Structure formats: C-alpha cells, structure tokens
Amino acid sequence: MNPPCQASDVVRAASRFALPGEVVDVRRHGSGLIHDTWLVTCSAAGGVARFILQCMRIDVFPHPDRVMENIRRVTDHALAELKACGVADAHRRTLCCVPTHDGAWLADDGTGGCWRAYPFIERTHAVDMPESNAQVREAARAFAGFQKTAASLGGPRLHETIPEFHHTPRRIQALEDAASADRNGRAAQVRDELAFVRSHAVECTRIADLMARGIIPERVAHNDTKISNVLFDDATGEGICVVDLDTTMPGTVLSDFGDLVRSAAGGTAEDDPRPEANRLDLHRFTAITEGYLSAADFLEPSERDQLAFSAWLITMECGVRFLTDFLAGDTYFRSTRPGQNLDRCRSQFALAQSIADQLSELERIVARTADRQANG
Ligand code: GN1
Ligand code: MG
C-alpha cells in the first residue's frame, strides 16, 4: 500500500495536468478503500473549477496504463452516445479524463506515485448509506444504463485490469492460502468464519461454472458497484453518473447487480462491528430490482434467473476478501483501526446469511418485477 499522500504531493501532481489557473485548495475526498482521492480547486476565468485527482495503487493495478486505456475507451464511447442522442448535459453524465501538459493520461510523480485527473461533476453528491428506496432505484438504473452503453462498445476486448476479479472460487483459494500461511498468527481467531466459508464453498462455484459453460455470457461490467460509486443530481436526485471505472472490464453483469444489493440493501455500514445488524431489507432489494430491470433490457433469462443468487454470492465473496486481508495483515483494503477488516468480513457474512434465508422470496421479487415490466 502507498503511504498516504500529503497536500504538497497533490499540488505538485496537479501542476502536471492541463488544469486552469492556480491550485487554491486541496482536500481528501470520498470513502474508497483503494486509491488516495483528492478534490482540487483551481482558479479559473470568472471563478473556480474543481477536479478529482487520484494517486493510484500500483500494487492493486500493476498496469495503470491499461486501466486508463479501458477508461478512455468506455468514457469516450459513452460521451459520443450521449451526444448522438442529443443529451444537453452530456459532460455531467460520464467521467472524462484530463490530460497532462504533454498529452498523457497519467502523471508519474517520480516517487512511485501515479496520478490521474477528472473534472469534478458539480451539483452532484454521493452517499455511503442510502437514504430512500427511490435513491437505490436510481442507483440501479444508473448502473444498468452504464452496462447497456458499455455493451455497444466496439473494438477489441477490454484489458482485464485485475484478472479473475470476481472469480469466487479463486478468491476462496486465496483465503485458504492465507489461512495455511497464517503469517500474522490470526487464523485461530477466525475459525468460525473459515468454517462458514468452507460450508458454502460448493455453492460459491455456481456463477464461475455457468460462465465457463457459456450459459452466463461474458459482458463488459463495472465490477465495483457500491452505491457510493453513483453521483446523484443535487436538484433532481437522478443517478446521473457512474464513477470509479478502474475495474470496468469483461465479467458478468450479475456481479454489478449483486454488489449494489450488498452495499445498498443491508442495514448498516460495511464495517459495522455489530454483524447481526446487517440484514437484507426487502424494500430496498425490490427497489434495486425495479431500477435495474427497467434499464437492463439486454439481459438473457439465464442471467435474470441468477440475479438474487448473485447478491448472496458477491456478499460472500466480499467477506472472503476482507477475511483474506485480515489474515494477510491488512495490506489491501485501507483500514483506519485494528480489526476493521474482520468487522467488515463478519458484517458481510451476516448479510449473506440474511440473503440466503430470504432467497426464495428474492427470486419471487425478481420474477414478479420482470413480469410486470414485460406486461407494461
Ligand atoms: C474496493 O476502491 P473501492 O473502495 O471503491 C474494492 C472493491 C470492494 C470494495 C469494498 C479494486 O472498492 O472490490 O468491493 O473496496 N476495489 C478493488 O468496499 O479491489
Ligand atoms: Mg473501487
């Protein structure tokens, strides 16, 4: 993990990008667990202009140039589609990259830091915890819209910036490896969590198997659809832009639906130390399903049938990843207190259990919503 950046590093990095005027303010931004993200305010003709600058984690994304190539292709395509449809505020509805003075998309700061810049989309906000059913419906619609646009991207297959990112069986294998190595002497503390994973290891192969057999199609997916990765318009509440595109790459759209349920339909923050409080809210799940299906008209029946299951799977997988990082010594997910990754893991496993307990009802909600939408 890179050491956290200082404000002076951000100002130095900002000087490399084609930003207007002088930097007048820099401050940390957002709640991401990977990159170091800053909001940079510059003086500009007639006022100020704001930008997001990010120092990327090279240990997580070893080929940042490929990440940027994917993002450039996907966002250029989205902007062209929006313009072709005559959308007036097209620049507020997709991320756009800001080049460096010499026309590159990344700036290496000479001390191992690798930076990129985006215009900040004004008059929008993001949330870590959803505030209403209407808001999660909007988030789901926005992610489905993003998938739909990405589906018409021409050209070669996007780079796999993190191979097998949502291959759950491989994630379980990595957990088993970390448990056997037990480099930090923590395995004894997590016997119950390891037993929980082992008791579900067979079900965790389902989507990987269906993809290997060609029953679930490979599509461009966002792959990191936490609710905090949607920007909502301040005035209308509409989910207008999807951000955090580093993992946009080939995968299954089921991961996106599942991860939105995980992050927006449970009862608590991801790291809440009271795991039992993280229970699936059926109203939130219904709203996500309605929003998602209203825009995801490309889905095949084989995908629709696995939507509810995929919410369970991605929640398990995320818990597995937090547990792996706890065993490995908290080197992947940024944490601010000891035991935070274990709390995150326990909270995910509690939510997964709550989803499993209600799975038949969730499947009925998906089927009913699809029928209603098909019959107008
Ligand atoms: C990470 O960067 P951020 O916070 O959006 C992680 C996701 C996890 C998420 C859990 C590249 O996302 O896969 O679901 O934390 N991103 C990467 O909060 O590993
Ligand atoms: Mg992310």
Side-chain angles (χ1 to χ4, degrees), residues 67-140:
V67 173
M68 294 314 287
E69 191 182 318
N70 281 359
I71 294 178
R72 288 269 309 144
R73 284 182 58 202
V74 169
T75 55
D76 279 357
H77 173 64
L79 190 62
E81 292 256 297
L82 287 161
K83 287 185 171 165
C85 295
V87 174
D89 59 349
H91 280 97
R92 299 185 74 227
R93 290 175 182 270
T94 174
L95 278 185
C96 299
C97 304
V98 178
T100 64
H101 292 297
D102 41 19
W105 302 109
L106 287 169
D108 184 336
D109 69 6
T111 63
C114 183
W115 292 80
R116 57 160 172 222
Y118 301 111
F120 178 72
I121 301 179
E122 299 290 349
R123 302 180 306 284
T124 62
H125 59 277
V127 296
D128 288 322
M129 287 288 289
E131 291 150 355
S132 67
N133 293 336
Q135 192 177 53
V136 301
R137 192 180 290 114
E138 270 304 301

Side-chain angles (χ1 to χ4, degrees), residues 354-374:
S354 167
I355 295 173
D357 293 343
Q358 304 178 76
L359 193 59
S360 321
E361 179 58 15
L362 305 184
E363 283 168 345
R364 271 194 294 277
I365 291 169
V366 171
R368 201 166 57 218
T369 307
D371 282 351
R372 269 201 206 123
Q373 292 186 355

